[in-house]
Amino acid sequence: MDGAGLASRGRRLVSAAVAIFIGVGFLTTSLVVVSTAQAGLEDAVAGGLRDADLVVTGADDTWLAADDVDRVAGTPGVDRVVADATVGVDRGSSFLAATSVPAGGMTLLEGRMPTGADEATVNQALAGQVAVGDELTLTTRTVDGAAGDPLTLTVVGVVDPGEVHTLSYTEGFLTTDATLRELDPGVSYESAQVTVAGTATVDEVREALAEAVPGAALQTGPEAAADRVAGLTGQTFVLGSVLLGFGAVALATAAIVIANTFTITLAQRTGELALLRCVGATRGQVRRSVLLEALVLGAAASVVGVGAGLGVAQLMLSLARGADLGIPLGTGLEVGWLSLVVPVVVGVAITLLASWWPAGRATRVSPLAALRPSGEPAAAARVSRVRVLLALLLVVGGTGLMVLAALLRQVLVGVAGGLVSFVGVLLAAVVLVPPLVRLLGLAARPAGVPGRLAVTGAVRNPGRAAATSAALLVGVTLITMTSVGAASGERTALGEIDQAYAVDLVAQTEPGLDGDVPVTTAVDEGVVQRLAAVDGVRAAEPVDTAYLEVGEVDAVPVAALDRDTAERVMRSEDLVAALAPGTVGLGPYDRVNYGVEAGDTLTVSGPGGSRDLTVIELGLGAAGLAVQPADLEALTGEAPQPGAVLLRLDDDADVGDTMTAVGEVAEDSGMTVQGAAAERALVAQVLDVMVLVATALLGVAVLIAVVGIANTLSLSVIERHREHALLRGLGLTRGQMRGMLLTEGVLLALVSAGLGLALGIGYAALGVQTILPEHPAGAGGALGARRRHRRCGAAGRGAGQRAARPAGGPGEPRGGAGGRLRPVGGGAGTHRPRPGSPRVAGGRPDGAGRAGTPGRPPARPAPFRAGGIGSGGAGTHHPRPGSPA
């Protein structure tokens, strides 16, 4: 009975099958892509860790000292130790990252790995300058950070470091541990990977290591690998959450379509079901018959969906690998039982759950219904007051939770509130949709009788109208929420960038020295003209600068900025309006460092005296703090000189090409360049891509919803064929009949879209308030991820002398012989931590302190390398030798 019934009604159930097919295929694709990305990332970042018997790290997630590693190597039962370290090395005027040879995760492109103390294997970025067989002459460092004797290494190979190693982001090389210690005696280690000798057991060695290195953290290789991946797989977890979240949306939409389809088909089979009851079929048999149809339908569509999902996953991964997204994706396809079985089980379960309520309604068909005339349309059921009350409670309660989440910044509470309120909206749709259709139907009156009939047909059965619109309502709401939320997030992120770097780019001269005091080097007018002539530069304005004492920190760069200049180079009108006499502009990073907020007072002192200035939210990056020209002249006691050029780029400029050209001009003139142009472009690009991807993914749910609407309307046409025949008999033409049905579908779609837009905007408004920080984080946010730390040494500094703040940059200037500045060039992990300093993701220490200069706040982010964003890594610039510290 069930197989024959399903075959005879195959056309009516095709939309349910399509909905299951799409939803299950989407889920399969999500699982396979996430599994493949996870496996690729594990191989890239934790291949060596995973194979180690034990992994030793410092106490409380700190770094290991060289003595600690030596004690690990000398522990009885230890056969081999691979320690993970990175140091910064000077090579003439450039800066390289030197790292230890990892146990795995890299691809040897040419030659071999280093084995001797005088050997190095370079990465691809450095291979453009040296070849196998060439020599690298490097400057060593003493224990106190001063320049030591030169050291020459022979290049023995070229390696591809993969996507997530330190050498993935900057020029550098691999070398032995002995060479690293010779280059920098103060080297410290992120971890030590231990191979246990064959005569010992892991437990015995673990106990011995606990005694040899008290307080050290000991893990097995797989445990350490899992921790390493967990610290670096934010993008994979986000990817998985996004894909699986949208897969859940698609399946939820499919469930609505399935429930609608079974409800209508079972309503059309009332006579058949009643006849079965007449010949002895029990309620249980009728329910099982319906559920068996759902089971067969769900299983068949799910199996086909899994096959299609695997094909789509392969296509997506191939495209992603070709696009070089920066995420290790391996070379194959990770297909496990989870990716094959779970989608089928979920598809079948969703189908059975969606058909359970229609099956329950089918069991309530009376045997006497078989005696009624066939084709009689079902009467519309009255809306239950309990349903309306429950819907109202859910909407109010869910909205209250979202408001609370926005106030407390609790994302999970906000998600729960959104789900609760949306369920309430779906329940209330049976009350909301009909009156909205009637209201919108006023526009259909000029169509005459067909238009009025369309409105009547759409609202005759409120339950069916609400169910038809529900699927589309889900998709439109989510698309609107994503689009509005992303736009709001972009505006907030760009606003934070504007506060940190109110201008796109800043070109600044290297300061000279008047004794121990840094002084401004004037900008040549020809340089300003060359910068203004760069393609993509909208405005280039020179500004006066001076080095003053701010709070308790001296030698801080301060720039004069008036409103006329600000209007030409700044994007934010609010920041321009905040400029006034008696104010000092600080970016969020500086406000955190100086411990002040907008509206506080900060003392700025110079040769001409001191002034208490009111803090405003405005940062100029390398140019330093912003004050009014009259205030700067009063503080310096003389007319200051122009020491920086503020640049604004065209809105449609190619940021990469423009930055490259600006960098070349600056390099020729001995200037450094810094700014937010790249960050702005990156934020806009990422959010635009996110919206496109989210819209495409939600388009799957919308596609399912459209299929459901078409199916529901077609089934309702079949159900109302006697009514339509009567209308034709009364004179309605075929064209008018088509117009009536088309108008009916359009009315329901427009109502769904309107409700979805309103809900999406509301959810986005509350969601943005919940997700985005209440106050921009000075050291984090959109810019924090791109900051590069530097080191500070004590050499070259007189007793009690405070180091001059460098023209660019954050983190810690490295004092070498004669106080020369050597910034660490781009790429995570190039900052050498001291033993016991806390670790952060990417191998960089926190960098909150500054050796030799207690209490001094870190400087701002490093400028980019002249010549654009290239192999040296974005955000790095190498000052000329002899530039003051």
Side-chain angles (χ1 to χ4, degrees):
M1 176 183 68
D2 302 306
L6 184 61
S8 65
R9 288 177 295 279
R11 293 181 60 186
R12 299 183 183 182
L13 297 175
V14 67
S15 68
V18 170
I20 301 166
F21 166 79
I22 296 176
V24 169
F26 194 101
L27 180 60
T28 303
T29 299
S30 302
L31 290 174
V32 172
V33 169
V34 171
S35 298
T36 303
Q38 186 79 10
L41 197 54
E42 287 179 358
D43 291 339
V45 305
L49 285 176
R50 191 171 51 219
D51 298 331
D53 294 322
L54 289 170
V55 177
V56 185
T57 55
D60 299 324
D61 204 30
T62 56
W63 297 78
L64 294 170
D67 292 342
D68 295 329
V69 175
D70 292 340
R71 287 196 295 271
V72 170
T75 301
V78 173
D79 180 53
R80 179 170 174 263
V81 175
V82 177
D84 182 10
T86 299
V87 300
V89 183
D90 292 315
R91 179 184 176 228
S93 61
S94 63
F95 199 85
L96 306 179
T99 71
S100 51
V101 181
M106 291 192 176
T107 303
L108 190 64
L109 302 178
E110 183 182 355
R112 60 180 175 84
M113 289 294 187
T115 55
D118 59 347
E119 296 177 343
T121 297
V122 299
N123 64 355
Q124 292 165 295
L126 187 55
Q129 304 176 31
V130 293
V132 174
D134 290 350
E135 292 184 342
L136 280 176
T137 300
L138 309 169
T139 302
T140 62
R141 289 284 161 183
T142 62
V143 176
D144 60 2
D149 298 330
L151 178 66
T152 300
L153 305 180
T154 301
V155 177
V156 297
V158 179
V159 71
D160 178 2
E163 301 283 355
V164 290
H165 190 269
T166 297
L167 298 185
S168 304
Y169 311 105
T170 187
E171 299 169 352
F173 58 91
L174 305 172
T175 190
T176 61
D177 185 65
T179 304
L180 289 178
R181 297 191 185 194
E182 188 173 359
L183 288 169
D184 195 336
V187 64
S188 55
Y189 300 84
E190 184 175 4
S191 66
Q193 302 159 33
V194 175
T195 301
V196 175
T199 57
T201 66
V202 173
D203 290 338
E204 292 173 348
V205 176
R206 183 193 289 267
E207 294 178 0
L209 287 173
E211 296 179 0
V213 191
L218 298 171
Q219 295 176 293
T220 63
E223 291 172 347
D227 284 351
R228 178 73 63 85
V229 171
L232 297 175
T233 52
Q235 54 192 334
T236 299
F237 288 147
V238 169
L239 173 67
S241 300
V242 168
L243 290 177
L244 294 177
F246 285 124
V249 172
L251 288 170
T253 308
I256 295 174
V257 173
I258 295 166
N260 290 347
T261 302
F262 273 92
T263 298
I264 295 175
T265 55
L266 290 175
Q268 295 171 354
R269 293 167 56 194
T270 299
E272 174 189 337
L273 297 175
L275 186 59
L276 290 175
R277 294 295 308 282
C278 283
V279 298
T282 64
R283 291 178 180 267
Q285 288 175 318
V286 172
R287 180 188 293 273
R288 286 194 294 272
S289 172
V290 175
L291 293 179
L292 183 57
E293 289 184 16
L295 176 64
V296 173
L297 180 70
S302 297
V303 170
V304 177
V306 167
L310 292 175
V312 173
Q314 180 64 60
L315 177 62
M316 286 181 59
L317 288 170
S318 299
L319 294 175
R321 289 167 184 145
D324 190 18
L325 300 179
I327 304 174
L329 296 176
T331 57
L333 201 66
E334 288 290 322
V335 181
W337 67 269
L338 189 70
S339 304
L340 298 176
V341 176
V342 169
V344 174
V345 172
V346 170
V348 172
I350 290 292
T351 307
L352 289 175
L353 289 174
S355 62
W356 185 268
W357 183 71
R361 292 188 62 185
T363 62
R364 294 193 291 271
V365 174
S366 170
L368 295 178
L371 304 177
R372 298 193 185 104
S374 62
E376 181 181 357
R382 294 185 59 185
V383 179
S384 169
R385 292 183 179 179
V386 175
R387 176 171 180 163
V388 174
L389 180 60
L390 178 61
L392 183 62
L393 290 176
L394 290 176
V395 170
V396 173
T399 304
L401 285 176
M402 289 190 293
V403 172
L404 180 64
L407 295 175
L408 301 180
R409 299 298 195 273
Q410 295 293 323
V411 177
L412 293 180
V413 175
V415 171
L419 292 175
V420 170
S421 63
F422 195 75
V423 170
V425 172
L426 292 179
L427 289 176
V430 71
V431 178
L432 295 174
V433 172
L436 290 175
V437 170
R438 290 191 183 95
L439 179 63
L440 195 61
L442 295 176
R445 285 188 175 182
V449 174
R452 292 194 294 272
L453 289 174
V455 176
T456 303
V459 301
R460 176 178 299 167
N461 191 325
R464 184 173 61 200
T468 302
S469 62
L472 186 59
L473 178 62
V474 172
V476 173
T477 298
L478 290 174
I479 288 179
T480 304
M481 181 179 67
T482 302
S483 302
V484 174
S488 301
E490 178 177 357
R491 182 174 180 179
T492 301
L494 294 180
E496 291 188 24
I497 292 175
D498 284 339
Q499 288 186 21
Y501 299 101
V503 295
D504 290 337
L505 294 174
V506 177
Q508 186 176 22
T509 60
E510 296 288 353
L513 285 176
D514 183 5
D516 292 336
V517 180
V519 294
T520 299
T521 301
V523 178
D524 187 85
E525 181 61 29
V527 175
V528 178
Q529 296 175 359
R530 290 176 60 194
L531 290 173
V534 170
D535 187 26
V537 173
R538 177 174 175 177
E541 295 289 336
V543 292
D544 295 336
T545 63
Y547 291 84
L548 305 176
E549 181 178 348
V550 179
E552 298 181 356
V553 181
D554 56 6
V556 176
V558 179
L561 183 64
D562 57 51
R563 282 199 178 186
D564 291 339
T565 301
E567 288 176 350
R568 290 190 290 270
V569 297
M570 288 169 53
R571 295 179 177 272
S572 173
E573 295 180 359
D574 293 338
L575 295 181
V576 173
L579 288 169
T583 60
V584 55
L586 280 77
Y589 195 60
D590 284 317
R591 294 199 301 274
V592 171
N593 292 332
Y594 289 106
V596 296
E597 297 180 355
D600 291 348
T601 299
L602 187 63
T603 302
V604 181
S605 305
S610 64
R611 292 194 174 189
D612 292 332
L613 304 178
T614 302
V615 175
I616 61 174
E617 297 179 344
L618 190 155
L620 292 181
L625 313 186
V627 300
Q628 290 287 291
D631 291 330
L632 183 64
E633 184 171 353
L635 290 168
T636 57
E638 58 184 6
Q641 299 187 73
V645 182
L646 309 183
L647 296 98
R648 177 173 177 176
L649 306 188
D650 292 326
D651 294 337
D652 58 350
D654 185 311
V655 175
D657 291 345
T658 303
M659 289 178 66
T660 299
V662 169
E664 291 173 351
V665 174
E667 180 73 8
D668 292 341
S669 307
M671 303 174 72
T672 58
V673 180
Q674 186 186 59
E679 280 77 9
R680 291 184 63 90
L682 180 64
V683 168
Q685 179 182 6
V686 167
L687 290 174
D688 289 346
V689 171
M690 186 190 75
V691 172
L692 289 176
V693 171
T695 302
L697 295 176
L698 289 172
V700 177
V702 174
L703 176 61
I704 296 174
V706 171
V707 171
I709 289 178
N711 183 68
T712 303
L713 291 177
S714 64
L715 291 177
S716 69
V717 169
I718 297 174
E719 181 182 358
R720 294 153 53 193
H721 69 279
R722 295 184 64 183
E723 171 192 336
H724 295 159
L726 180 59
L727 290 175
R728 289 297 312 282
L730 293 175
L732 206 65
T733 65
R734 289 180 181 270
Q736 289 176 318
M737 182 70 71
R738 292 193 187 96
M740 179 190 73
L741 296 175
L742 178 61
T743 302
E744 188 175 327
V746 169
L747 288 173
L748 290 174
L750 289 177
V751 168
S752 301
L755 282 174
L757 286 171
L759 289 173
I761 292 173
Y763 286 147
L766 292 173
V768 167
Q769 292 297 320
T770 303
I771 295 174
L772 294 180
E774 184 174 4
H775 300 291
L783 301 175
R786 302 179 61 85
R787 290 195 169 100
R788 300 292 182 259
H789 294 277
R790 298 182 181 176
R791 292 181 48 211
C792 175
R797 310 215 177 143
Q801 173 188 357
R802 289 182 179 174
R805 188 170 187 161
E812 312 191 357
R814 174 175 184 170
R820 291 183 299 170
L821 182 65
R822 290 290 184 273
V824 170
T830 53
H831 177 109
R832 187 197 75 182
R834 294 295 179 189
S837 62
R839 296 185 299 168
V840 297
R844 292 194 305 270
D846 193 311
R850 179 184 291 270
T853 55
R856 177 177 178 177
R860 285 178 287 275
F864 66 89
R865 177 192 296 272
I869 302 174
S871 60
T876 67
H877 177 89
H878 303 311
R880 299 177 180 276
S883 60

